[in-house]
Amino acid sequence: MMACRYNHRIVMLFDTLTIVGVGLIGGSIGLAARQRNLVRRVLGVGRSDAALARASAAGAIDTGFTASEAAVRESDLVVFCTPVDQIAAGVVAVGSQCRPGTIITDTGSTKSAIVRAIEQSMPENVHYVGGHPLAGSEKNGVEHADVRLFEDRITVLTPTTSTDAGALQKISDFWKHLGARVCTMRPEDHDRAMALTSHLPHLVASALAGVLPDELRGLAASGFRDTTRIAAGDPSLWTPILSQNRDAVRDALTALRERLDLFQRALDNEDERQLSMLLDEGKRRRDALGS
Amino acid sequence: MMACRYNHRIVMLFDTLTIVGVGLIGGSIGLAARQRNLVRRVLGVGRSDAALARASAAGAIDTGFTASEAAVRESDLVVFCTPVDQIAAGVVAVGSQCRPGTIITDTGSTKSAIVRAIEQSMPENVHYVGGHPLAGSEKNGVEHADVRLFEDRITVLTPTTSTDAGALQKISDFWKHLGARVCTMRPEDHDRAMALTSHLPHLVASALAGVLPDELRGLAASGFRDTTRIAAGDPSLWTPILSQNRDAVRDALTALRERLDLFQRALDNEDERQLSMLLDEGKRRRDALGS
């Protein structure tokens, strides 16, 4: 179970994996872990039998549970893929049910608040490692799960001084075997980065979509569609993300508003040179990302 | 030449088409008009022999000219696909060179300033119709021209009280035969609409890309990429667009800033209910667009 090779030979990293919350992300983890034989079996924890039946039918889990206790007691690895406002309480609740040595991780888009709350309350012999795969979609549900969702995507792990080094290594190996590139950051650095790369874009896409009058809908072409695509994301997932990362999102919003001020002033002053400089810098930074 | 059928039989709408500015849009018009045999021949006007050779090699034009006079004298239809700050002067300059009955149109992303300037100076027997196909890309150049670029896309025509009805009909037929859906709007209504559906998104995408620090580039995932994709557009094309449509863009920017204010206040007040309402409305409007 400890052997870990990157030459694509079959390697079983954990015996029993439990996924709490089998939607797009959790379902994709289950599909990929099963296809790659990284675990012997996958248990899924969901809110309803119907949801678990869909996860099972999609091939994401072997067995479904509507209560987490029974599942986590048999698990070596537990991955929480619930909305960010349910992760810390969920991890803390199952922490005391786990066998010694069990590793728990999560896939939440925010980290500081979650990691802080969990580290205050975990039993000593159960190891939590914060995580966030930078993959996803504006779509939801196990029906959109994708066995290749994490391939060549980054997964950020957010260890702290209290993180168990062995557990960190195993979680890192797990993600690498799912195809991801792994990097580690402090939870607060992760949150500040995501505020700019993910949470602000979501807020702005929503605001742009929000100012389009219904009667102009037919004139919105591919540029508008691309720019607002992520606004279709589920508000029940995004409200707690923006809320949990409130301070960093406010800083990011301030930075954006200052840049919009520069555009506004250039327009007010009919200053084409400044307009052009602003657009040049945006293009330079966007081009650097590649397509 | 007048016959116009929509049942996909070959129909020649014009004898000689001249495209002034054979880049992505002009090249795509040339490709599509030639493939569909809508004209007998396509002349291209470009800045250099090298550019015209590329257009010719791409199959977008039959013959290239570096000066427009010789080309337009033999033309029945002239389409200006130059940057918006060069359209009005270009059309006015060739207007006096055209044979009586020649129709001139354009593909500029702004309309009021262009239409106004041209209508003041056109000879009586040469007919101008303002146009704007809502198709394009952040890419430039005839190398990216696409014979299907206009299929199922909208082309807006912007006639005024002085537009010749016969010319309007022929331009409308031309775009329909290129695969586009045609709608007509007043130039100022077009500009107000585009400020919200196209020019503001461009400005915002550029601002978002502009606030991403270089060191966070590796963490920008698909959401950031989608939201900022159009920021890669050519600043030399977009500066005059934002500038020519300055008043409407400022109004659109004001509307966006008011909505960002609502987000800011919801974050400041830790008002999750309001955050959720704002995200819900953005999602509802984005969902209404389809993918």
Side-chain angles (χ1 to χ4, degrees):
Chain A
M1 220 117 70
M2 293 299 304
C4 173
R5 297 182 194 88
Y6 295 108
N7 56 1
H8 295 288
R9 270 196 281 156
I10 288 170
V11 53
M12 190 169 286
L13 297 174
F14 296 94
D15 182 86
T16 300
L17 159 66
T18 290
I19 298 169
V20 183
V22 195
L24 173 75
I25 300 289
S28 299
I29 292 174
L31 283 177
R34 292 182 80 218
Q35 194 196 59
R36 292 164 183 242
N37 291 300
L38 302 184
V39 300
R40 185 175 62 81
R41 59 176 182 155
V42 179
L43 313 184
V45 178
R47 274 175 301 190
S48 68
D49 289 326
L52 291 164
R54 286 199 304 276
S56 211
I61 62 172
D62 294 296
T63 314
F65 294 79
T66 49
S68 50
E69 290 73 10
V72 303
R73 267 199 295 270
E74 305 177 28
S75 299
D76 307 280
L77 172 63
V78 181
V79 184
F80 272 79
C81 305
T82 49
V84 294
D85 54 339
Q86 296 167 32
I87 292 172
V91 170
V92 169
V94 305
S96 58
Q97 320 274 333
C98 292
R99 297 181 301 203
T102 301
I103 299 175
I104 306 181
T105 188
D106 75 308
T107 60
S109 299
T110 63
K111 290 273 72 77
S112 303
I114 291 171
V115 171
R116 205 182 313 122
I118 292 172
E119 290 194 338
Q120 283 167 357
S121 328
M122 285 298 277
E124 261 204 22
N125 50 14
V126 173
H127 307 299
Y128 168 74
V129 180
H132 178 206
L134 306 188
S137 161
E138 71 282 3
K139 295 176 183 135
N140 298 309
V142 74
E143 294 76 9
H144 295 108
D146 175 0
V147 70
R148 305 186 60 182
L149 188 66
F150 309 110
E151 283 183 16
D152 291 320
R153 302 302 188 85
I154 287 176
T155 290
V156 181
L157 301 181
T158 58
T160 68
T161 49
S162 31
T163 302
D164 181 82
L168 174 62
Q169 184 60 55
K170 286 191 201 169
I171 294 297
S172 176
D173 289 344
F174 180 71
W175 281 107
K176 286 177 185 166
H177 277 85
L178 293 178
R181 290 176 286 142
V182 172
C183 75
T184 61
M185 298 175 77
R186 296 189 311 158
E188 51 274 30
D189 291 339
H190 166 276
D191 285 2
R192 266 195 293 271
M194 290 305 121
L196 279 164
T197 59
S198 170
H199 308 168
L200 177 67
H202 192 90
L203 188 160
V204 168
S206 176
L208 258 180
V211 296
L212 184 73
D214 290 347
E215 64 272 21
L216 296 186
R217 198 178 287 154
L219 296 172
S222 60
F224 189 90
R225 286 164 194 268
D226 278 354
T227 312
T228 58
R229 178 159 295 119
I230 55 178
D234 185 346
S236 72
L237 300 178
W238 280 94
T239 299
I241 290 171
L242 296 180
S243 185
Q244 281 203 356
N245 200 21
R246 183 173 158 262
D247 291 340
V249 171
R250 288 162 80 205
D251 289 346
L253 184 52
T254 299
L256 179 80
R257 292 168 68 116
E258 285 169 2
R259 201 151 177 94
L260 294 178
D261 288 342
L262 296 178
F263 273 102
Q264 177 98 49
R265 219 170 306 147
L267 289 168
D268 289 347
N269 300 339
E270 306 188 40
D271 185 347
E272 293 206 9
R273 202 162 143 266
Q274 169 73 351
L275 257 188
S276 173
M277 275 176 47
L278 291 167
L279 293 174
D280 272 335
E281 193 177 355
K283 175 176 172 56
R284 187 178 61 72
R285 290 184 186 271
R286 183 58 184 82
D287 285 347
L289 290 179
S291 57
Chain B
M1 220 121 64
M2 292 298 307
C4 172
R5 299 183 193 87
Y6 296 107
N7 56 0
H8 294 290
R9 268 198 282 156
I10 290 171
V11 54
M12 189 168 287
L13 297 174
F14 296 94
D15 182 86
T16 300
L17 160 65
T18 289
I19 298 168
V20 183
V22 194
L24 173 76
I25 300 290
S28 298
I29 292 173
L31 284 177
R34 292 182 79 219
Q35 193 196 59
R36 293 165 183 241
N37 292 301
L38 302 184
V39 299
R40 185 176 62 83
R41 60 177 181 154
V42 179
L43 313 183
V45 178
R47 273 175 302 191
S48 69
D49 288 328
L52 292 164
R54 286 199 304 276
S56 211
I61 62 172
D62 293 296
T63 315
F65 294 79
T66 50
S68 51
E69 289 74 7
V72 303
R73 267 200 295 269
E74 305 176 30
S75 299
D76 306 280
L77 172 63
V78 181
V79 184
F80 272 79
C81 305
T82 49
V84 294
D85 54 340
Q86 296 167 32
I87 293 173
V91 171
V92 170
V94 305
S96 57
Q97 319 275 332
C98 292
R99 296 181 301 204
T102 301
I103 299 175
I104 307 181
T105 188
D106 74 308
T107 61
S109 299
T110 62
K111 290 272 72 76
S112 303
I114 291 171
V115 171
R116 206 182 312 122
I118 291 171
E119 290 195 337
Q120 283 168 356
S121 326
M122 284 299 276
E124 261 205 20
N125 50 13
V126 173
H127 308 300
Y128 169 74
V129 180
H132 177 205
L134 306 188
S137 162
E138 70 282 4
K139 295 175 185 136
N140 298 309
V142 74
E143 294 77 8
H144 296 108
D146 175 359
V147 69
R148 305 186 60 181
L149 188 65
F150 309 110
E151 285 183 16
D152 292 319
R153 303 301 189 86
I154 287 176
T155 290
V156 181
L157 301 180
T158 58
T160 67
T161 49
S162 31
T163 302
D164 180 82
L168 174 62
Q169 184 61 54
K170 286 190 199 167
I171 294 297
S172 176
D173 289 345
F174 180 71
W175 281 107
K176 286 177 185 167
H177 277 85
L178 293 178
R181 289 176 286 141
V182 172
C183 76
T184 61
M185 298 173 77
R186 296 190 309 158
E188 50 275 32
D189 291 339
H190 166 276
D191 285 1
R192 265 195 295 271
M194 290 305 121
L196 279 164
T197 59
S198 170
H199 308 168
L200 177 67
H202 193 89
L203 188 161
V204 168
S206 175
L208 258 181
V211 297
L212 184 72
D214 289 346
E215 64 272 20
L216 296 186
R217 197 179 288 154
L219 296 172
S222 59
F224 190 90
R225 286 164 195 268
D226 278 353
T227 312
T228 58
R229 178 158 296 121
I230 55 177
D234 185 346
S236 73
L237 300 178
W238 279 93
T239 299
I241 290 171
L242 296 180
S243 186
Q244 280 204 357
N245 201 20
R246 184 173 158 261
D247 291 341
V249 171
R250 288 162 80 206
D251 288 346
L253 184 52
T254 299
L256 179 79
R257 292 168 68 116
E258 284 169 1
R259 200 151 178 96
L260 294 178
D261 287 343
L262 296 178
F263 273 102
Q264 177 97 50
R265 219 170 306 148
L267 289 168
D268 290 347
N269 300 338
E270 307 188 40
D271 185 347
E272 293 205 9
R273 204 164 142 265
Q274 169 73 354
L275 259 187
S276 173
M277 274 175 46
L278 291 167
L279 293 174
D280 272 334
E281 193 177 355
K283 176 176 171 56
R284 186 179 62 73
R285 290 184 187 271
R286 182 59 184 81
D287 285 347
L289 290 179
S291 57

Coordinates of all heavy atoms in Angstrom, one line a residue, chain B residues 1-2 32 36 70 73 86 96 106 108 112 114 120 127 142 161 170 173 188 190 234 237 248-249 260-261 268 279 281:
Chain B
M1 N -28.5 38.4 -61.7 CA -27.8 39.0 -60.6 C -28.7 39.4 -59.5 O -28.3 39.5 -58.3 CB -27.0 40.2 -61.0 CG -25.6 40.2 -60.4 SD -24.3 40.2 -61.6 CE -24.5 41.7 -62.5
M2 N -30.0 39.6 -59.8 CA -30.9 40.1 -58.8 C -31.6 38.9 -58.1 O -32.1 39.0 -57.0 CB -32.0 40.9 -59.5 CG -31.5 42.2 -60.0 SD -30.9 43.2 -58.6 CE -32.3 43.2 -57.5
A32 N -16.1 32.7 -47.9 CA -17.5 32.2 -47.9 C -18.2 32.7 -49.2 O -18.9 31.9 -49.8 CB -18.3 32.7 -46.7
R36 N -19.4 29.9 -51.9 CA -20.8 29.8 -52.2 C -21.2 30.4 -53.6 O -22.4 30.6 -53.9 CB -21.6 30.5 -51.1 CG -21.5 29.8 -49.8 CD -21.9 30.6 -48.6 NE -21.7 29.9 -47.3 CZ -22.7 29.6 -46.5 NH1 -23.9 29.9 -46.7 NH2 -22.4 28.9 -45.4
A70 N -8.3 51.5 -58.0 CA -8.5 50.7 -59.1 C -9.5 49.5 -58.9 O -10.3 49.2 -59.8 CB -7.1 50.1 -59.5
R73 N -13.3 50.8 -58.7 CA -13.9 51.2 -60.0 C -14.6 50.1 -60.7 O -15.5 50.3 -61.5 CB -12.8 51.8 -60.8 CG -12.7 53.4 -60.7 CD -12.0 54.0 -61.8 NE -10.6 53.5 -61.9 CZ -9.5 54.2 -61.3 NH1 -9.8 55.3 -60.6 NH2 -8.3 53.7 -61.5
Q86 N -10.7 53.7 -39.4 CA -10.3 53.9 -40.7 C -11.4 53.7 -41.7 O -11.3 53.9 -42.9 CB -9.1 53.0 -41.1 CG -7.9 53.2 -40.3 CD -6.9 52.1 -40.5 OE1 -6.8 51.4 -41.5 NE2 -6.1 51.8 -39.4
S96 N -16.3 58.5 -54.3 CA -16.3 59.3 -55.6 C -15.7 58.5 -56.7 O -15.8 58.9 -57.9 CB -15.6 60.6 -55.4 OG -14.3 60.3 -54.9
D106 N -19.8 47.9 -44.5 CA -18.7 47.8 -43.7 C -19.0 46.7 -42.6 O -20.2 46.3 -42.5 CB -18.2 49.1 -43.0 CG -19.1 49.5 -41.9 OD1 -20.4 49.6 -42.1 OD2 -18.7 49.8 -40.8
G108 N -17.7 47.2 -39.2 CA -17.2 47.8 -38.0 C -18.0 47.6 -36.8 O -19.3 47.5 -36.9
S112 N -22.6 54.5 -35.0 CA -23.1 55.9 -35.1 C -22.1 56.8 -35.8 O -22.4 57.5 -36.7 CB -23.4 56.4 -33.7 OG -24.3 55.6 -33.0
I114 N -19.5 56.3 -37.6 CA -19.1 55.9 -38.9 C -20.3 56.3 -39.9 O -20.1 56.9 -40.9 CB -18.8 54.4 -39.0 CG1 -17.5 54.1 -38.3 CG2 -18.8 53.9 -40.4 CD1 -17.3 52.6 -38.1
Q120 N -22.8 62.1 -44.6 CA -22.7 63.5 -44.9 C -21.9 63.7 -46.2 O -22.0 64.8 -46.8 CB -21.8 64.2 -43.8 CG -22.7 64.5 -42.5 CD -21.8 64.9 -41.4 OE1 -20.6 64.9 -41.5 NE2 -22.4 65.3 -40.3
H127 N -24.4 53.8 -52.8 CA -25.2 53.5 -51.7 C -24.5 52.9 -50.5 O -23.9 51.8 -50.7 CB -26.4 52.6 -52.1 CG -27.2 53.2 -53.3 ND1 -27.8 54.4 -53.2 CD2 -27.4 52.7 -54.5 CE1 -28.4 54.6 -54.4 NE2 -28.1 53.6 -55.2
V142 N -5.7 36.9 -41.8 CA -6.4 36.0 -42.8 C -6.1 34.6 -42.6 O -6.9 33.7 -43.0 CB -6.0 36.5 -44.2 CG1 -4.6 36.1 -44.6 CG2 -7.0 36.0 -45.3
T161 N -32.8 56.9 -42.3 CA -33.8 57.4 -43.2 C -33.2 57.7 -44.6 O -34.0 57.7 -45.6 CB -34.5 58.7 -42.7 OG1 -33.4 59.6 -42.3 CG2 -35.3 58.4 -41.5
K170 N -30.2 44.2 -50.8 CA -29.2 43.4 -51.4 C -28.1 43.0 -50.3 O -27.6 41.9 -50.4 CB -28.5 44.1 -52.5 CG -29.4 44.2 -53.8 CD -28.6 44.7 -55.0 CE -29.5 45.2 -56.1 NZ -28.8 45.9 -57.1
D173 N -29.5 40.3 -48.3 CA -29.5 39.0 -49.0 C -28.0 38.4 -49.0 O -27.8 37.2 -48.8 CB -29.9 39.2 -50.4 CG -31.4 39.5 -50.6 OD1 -32.1 39.2 -49.6 OD2 -31.8 39.9 -51.6
E188 N -27.4 54.2 -33.4 CA -27.2 54.5 -31.9 C -27.7 53.4 -31.0 O -27.2 53.1 -30.0 CB -27.8 55.8 -31.5 CG -29.2 56.1 -32.0 CD -29.4 56.6 -33.4 OE1 -28.6 56.3 -34.3 OE2 -30.4 57.3 -33.6
H190 N -27.7 50.2 -31.9 CA -26.6 49.2 -32.1 C -25.5 49.5 -31.1 O -25.0 48.6 -30.4 CB -26.1 49.2 -33.5 CG -24.8 48.5 -33.7 ND1 -23.6 49.1 -33.5 CD2 -24.5 47.2 -34.0 CE1 -22.6 48.2 -33.7 NE2 -23.1 47.1 -34.0
D234 N -6.6 42.4 -30.2 CA -5.6 43.4 -30.7 C -6.0 44.8 -30.1 O -7.0 45.4 -30.5 CB -5.6 43.4 -32.2 CG -4.5 44.3 -32.7 OD1 -3.9 45.1 -32.0 OD2 -4.2 44.2 -33.9
L237 N -7.1 47.4 -32.5 CA -8.5 47.4 -33.0 C -9.4 47.9 -31.9 O -10.4 48.5 -32.2 CB -8.9 46.0 -33.4 CG -8.0 45.3 -34.5 CD1 -8.5 43.9 -34.8 CD2 -8.2 46.2 -35.8
A248 N -21.5 55.4 -24.7 CA -22.3 54.2 -24.4 C -21.4 53.3 -23.5 O -22.0 52.6 -22.6 CB -22.8 53.5 -25.6
V249 N -20.1 53.2 -23.8 CA -19.3 52.4 -22.9 C -19.2 52.9 -21.5 O -19.2 52.1 -20.5 CB -17.8 52.2 -23.6 CG1 -16.9 51.5 -22.6 CG2 -17.9 51.5 -24.9
L260 N -21.1 46.0 -9.0 CA -20.0 45.6 -8.2 C -20.1 46.3 -6.8 O -19.7 45.7 -5.8 CB -18.7 46.1 -8.8 CG -18.3 45.4 -10.2 CD1 -17.0 45.9 -10.7 CD2 -18.1 43.9 -9.9
D261 N -20.7 47.5 -6.8 CA -21.0 48.1 -5.5 C -21.9 47.2 -4.6 O -21.7 47.1 -3.4 CB -21.7 49.5 -5.6 CG -20.7 50.5 -6.2 OD1 -19.5 50.3 -6.1 OD2 -21.2 51.6 -6.7
D268 N -19.0 43.5 2.6 CA -18.7 44.3 3.8 C -19.6 44.0 4.9 O -19.2 43.9 6.1 CB -18.9 45.8 3.4 CG -17.8 46.3 2.5 OD1 -16.8 45.6 2.3 OD2 -18.0 47.4 1.9
L279 N -25.8 36.5 -7.1 CA -25.3 35.4 -7.9 C -26.4 34.7 -8.6 O -26.3 34.2 -9.7 CB -24.5 34.4 -7.0 CG -23.2 34.9 -6.4 CD1 -22.6 33.9 -5.4 CD2 -22.2 35.2 -7.5
E281 N -29.2 36.0 -9.7 CA -29.6 36.8 -10.8 C -28.6 36.7 -12.0 O -29.0 36.5 -13.2 CB -29.8 38.3 -10.5 CG -30.6 39.0 -11.6 CD -30.9 40.4 -11.3 OE1 -30.6 40.9 -10.2 OE2 -31.5 41.1 -12.2

